[in-house]
Amino acid sequence: MNRPETPLEWIFWLEGKLGRQRAEIRKYATYYDSENRVLSYAQTKFSEIFGDLFIGWRDNFCPLIVDSISERLRIQGFRMGPEEQADKDASDIWQFNRMDAESNAAHIDALMGGAAFIGVWGDEDDQPTMVPESGEDVVVQYEPGSRTKRIASMKQYTDDWGTEHVSLWTRKTIHTSTREGEDRKWAEPKDRPNTLGEIPHIPLLNRTRLKQTPFSELASIIPVQDAINKVAADALVASEFAAFPQRVISGVEQLPEDATPAEEAAARAQAVKAYIDRILTLDNPEAKWGQFAAADLKNYVVLIDMLVQHMASQSRVPFHYFLLNGGQAPSGESITAAEAGLVAKARERMLHFGESWEEALRLAFLVKGDMRRAKAYSAEVIWADPEYRSKAQLADSLLKMKELGVPDRQLQEEYGYTPTQILRFDGMREEEMKRAKELADKYGLSDMLGLNGQQPGASRPQQSARGEAKPKTASDKVASVERQKAAA
């Protein structure tokens, strides 16, 4: 196929690309949402016996794989340059668009399906808007031979009344169209200029390789998950048919195939039935008893545990998340070692996601007309620490860092305080100092507390008649003693 030229050709091209992307993401979404297929039994008769008893039951670990990473990806602010403090305007844009929660949803979609998108535009007041978009609705096209230069993006969705909408962005023009009815053909697109001059959709890709192919966290997990469900189905069948002893009686005559109803009723009346107060007897001396032992269901548990261990190793999620080894969570240094792989994985995702969020903020400042920060390529995301540690352990390590000369603001960030909280601390400390000074002045304790620039407890020097400090001499001390004697 030749390179698309007209808007409709671009829509057809990107619609096919979006369809393939949507199908791939939908496959992973069914597992994350626990909508994957129900348990598959080995034989049809088992389905007939159980019916829909287990139709809603799934032993699904896929949400855990994604959520264990997403819960450690928390954005606290942005630096739009080498300055130490977080950029307040960037934080205002972030809060205006409710991105504390929306960014978490974008991370989950990117981890689950491999790709999500951030749409940046301006509202009617020229305020930048940031909207995370699903990979099922948005697709981008890169310049051939480039992994970063986007030449087009498209969003396609269906409204509540069944009308399909599509918007195509190029650097110069925005084309919009709809389709409805039986012919399902796109109407001739309507055009308007792209005042931003940029492609407004930024991919949020989960650890891509150089081929720019989205990578889902569930790609290697789904086959293991299917195996776990299969073994679980076998365990359910065994619990129904082989989890109790099977008894056998030999040497007892069988009824003929053409037995009359009366003969069958008589045989049932004489059948061997065991009760707590009954002794079993048989007239036939050749009759023998036998018993098959109950199936050991622990074999299924051991097999499922092995598969879960494989899943934990492949996903780098700690064993105690899966309640392996009795579900006992490690403590102290052990938990740090156990979660090292997951923490390293979270930091790697921060590296890839951070680049996308930085570009989104630069585009937001372009909407505001702030060209300095629109080209702030040294911008960085302030991430919360992905490692979980006790507060006492963390505080102890920060005190040692302070001895090395690390500034207080950096230590506060390391402890987990947000840039907004750190700014509040500055104001709170100033208020505390003002209040202390007011109380000290009120009760005459300023000198004692050292709030007038003196050391606490230092004596005030004598004042001369002109208000100048007058140091005491030896003769002054003698004269003072004489006056005290005379007064006595």
Side-chain angles (χ1 to χ4, degrees):
M1 179 179 178
N2 296 327
R3 181 183 175 119
E5 297 294 340
T6 67
L8 277 178
E9 288 179 352
W10 270 109
I11 290 174
F12 293 146
W13 165 258
L14 291 177
E15 185 178 19
K17 187 175 181 179
L18 179 61
R20 295 188 295 271
Q21 177 178 289
R22 180 181 293 160
E24 191 73 10
I25 293 176
R26 192 66 248 162
K27 176 182 71 174
Y28 299 124
T30 56
Y31 277 84
Y32 180 80
D33 296 333
S34 294
E35 295 175 352
N36 48 307
R37 63 179 180 271
V38 297
L39 299 179
S40 299
Y41 299 109
Q43 298 183 27
T44 305
K45 68 177 182 180
F46 296 144
S47 299
E48 296 172 355
I49 293 170
F50 293 124
D52 59 355
L53 180 61
F54 299 107
I55 196 169
W57 186 88
R58 299 168 186 86
D59 195 11
N60 191 18
F61 292 97
C62 292
L64 172 64
I65 304 299
V66 173
D67 295 344
S68 61
I69 309 172
S70 67
E71 67 187 15
R72 295 172 183 260
L73 304 178
R74 304 186 306 278
I75 295 178
Q76 295 187 325
F78 294 84
R79 293 188 183 92
M80 300 307 294
E83 58 272 7
E84 178 185 342
Q85 296 186 12
D87 190 287
K88 186 178 183 304
D89 291 336
S91 296
D92 290 343
I93 294 173
W94 189 259
Q95 295 297 331
F96 175 75
N97 290 282
R98 302 184 294 278
M99 293 304 296
D100 283 340
E102 294 292 298
S103 63
N104 180 65
H107 291 157
I108 290 174
D109 259 35
L111 292 167
M112 177 270 297
F117 296 86
I118 312 163
V120 181
W121 200 248
D123 62 12
E124 60 276 5
D125 299 323
D126 292 331
Q127 291 298 314
T129 60
M130 300 175 64
V131 181
E133 301 279 7
S134 169
E136 297 186 48
D137 298 330
V138 173
V139 65
V140 300
Q141 177 65 46
Y142 292 91
E143 183 70 41
S146 174
R147 294 185 294 111
T148 57
K149 186 177 180 181
R150 301 184 300 278
I151 58 175
S153 69
M154 189 184 79
K155 179 178 179 180
Q156 180 184 351
Y157 66 97
T158 303
D159 63 24
D160 295 339
W161 297 270
T163 302
E164 287 188 76
H165 300 260
V166 66
S167 297
L168 170 68
W169 281 267
T170 65
R171 291 186 179 275
K172 295 182 178 180
T173 313
I174 304 172
H175 311 275
T176 59
S177 181
T178 60
R179 68 180 176 188
E180 56 186 334
E182 298 180 356
D183 57 357
R184 311 305 295 171
K185 291 184 179 180
W186 292 111
E188 187 63 28
K190 298 178 181 179
D191 303 339
R192 69 177 190 272
N194 183 350
T195 56
L196 193 60
E198 297 286 346
I199 306 301
H201 291 109
I202 301 153
L204 193 68
L205 302 178
N206 180 42
R207 202 192 122 206
T208 58
R209 297 183 299 173
L210 295 180
K211 283 296 184 181
Q212 203 78 355
T213 303
F215 171 81
S216 169
E217 294 295 329
L218 303 181
S220 61
I221 300 301
I222 286 177
V224 184
Q225 179 63 63
D226 289 341
I228 291 173
N229 285 340
K230 193 271 179 188
V231 175
D234 292 344
L236 291 173
V237 171
S239 69
E240 176 70 17
F241 294 101
F244 50 85
Q246 301 289 320
R247 295 181 175 86
V248 180
I249 302 176
S250 62
V252 178
E253 291 187 18
Q254 299 290 326
L255 287 173
E257 294 184 359
D258 57 350
T260 64
E263 291 174 335
E264 291 181 0
R268 283 197 298 269
Q270 296 176 2
V272 178
K273 296 182 180 179
Y275 294 97
I276 192 170
D277 59 347
R278 177 172 294 185
I279 298 176
L280 299 178
T281 61
L282 289 174
D283 295 334
N284 189 346
E286 300 298 328
K288 297 179 181 179
W289 294 87
Q291 177 174 295
F292 293 108
D296 187 1
L297 297 183
K298 289 183 179 179
N299 294 329
Y300 296 100
V301 176
V302 172
L303 182 54
I304 289 176
D305 281 350
M306 183 199 72
L307 292 170
V308 172
Q309 288 177 11
H310 289 186
M311 182 182 289
S313 298
Q314 292 176 17
S315 63
R316 303 181 74 183
V317 176
F319 284 175
H320 60 270
Y321 274 50
F322 295 93
L323 301 182
L324 293 172
N325 303 323
Q328 184 67 33
S331 59
E333 295 296 329
S334 299
I335 196 169
T336 301
E339 296 186 351
L342 181 59
V343 171
K345 189 175 184 178
R347 291 189 188 280
E348 187 180 38
R349 301 305 181 268
M350 291 177 181
L351 178 66
H352 291 272
F353 292 163
E355 291 295 325
S356 299
W357 289 118
E358 291 160 14
E359 184 177 356
L361 261 296
R362 287 195 293 268
L363 201 56
F365 280 111
L366 180 62
V367 173
K368 291 174 68 70
D370 188 333
M371 300 308 298
R372 180 183 69 83
R373 284 180 284 193
K375 296 182 178 181
Y377 300 109
S378 60
E380 63 177 5
V381 180
I382 303 174
W383 294 94
D385 189 356
E387 185 176 354
Y388 293 156
R389 291 175 286 181
S390 68
K391 290 188 177 296
Q393 180 185 7
L394 180 57
D396 182 62
S397 66
L398 294 178
L399 287 174
K400 294 177 181 178
M401 292 173 63
K402 185 174 179 62
E403 293 176 358
L404 297 176
V406 178
D408 289 345
R409 187 177 295 275
Q410 180 63 38
L411 296 177
Q412 290 167 345
E413 287 185 7
E414 295 282 345
Y415 193 75
Y417 291 118
T418 65
T420 303
Q421 288 176 312
I422 294 173
L423 288 176
R424 286 178 55 224
F425 291 161
D426 294 339
M428 292 165 67
R429 276 194 295 269
E430 186 175 351
E431 286 295 324
E432 288 177 353
M433 293 178 65
K434 287 181 179 179
R435 180 62 175 165
K437 180 68 168 59
E438 292 173 358
L439 292 174
D441 290 344
K442 180 177 180 180
Y443 296 105
L445 301 176
S446 296
D447 294 341
M448 183 182 300
L449 298 176
L451 298 177
N452 284 329
Q454 302 179 19
Q455 293 296 326
S459 60
R460 179 179 297 179
Q462 286 186 326
Q463 301 291 323
S464 66
R466 294 177 297 176
E468 299 173 345
K470 182 179 180 183
K472 285 188 176 183
T473 63
S475 57
D476 292 333
K477 295 180 180 179
V478 172
S480 176
V481 172
E482 293 298 327
R483 285 196 298 272
Q484 292 177 8
K485 289 181 179 179

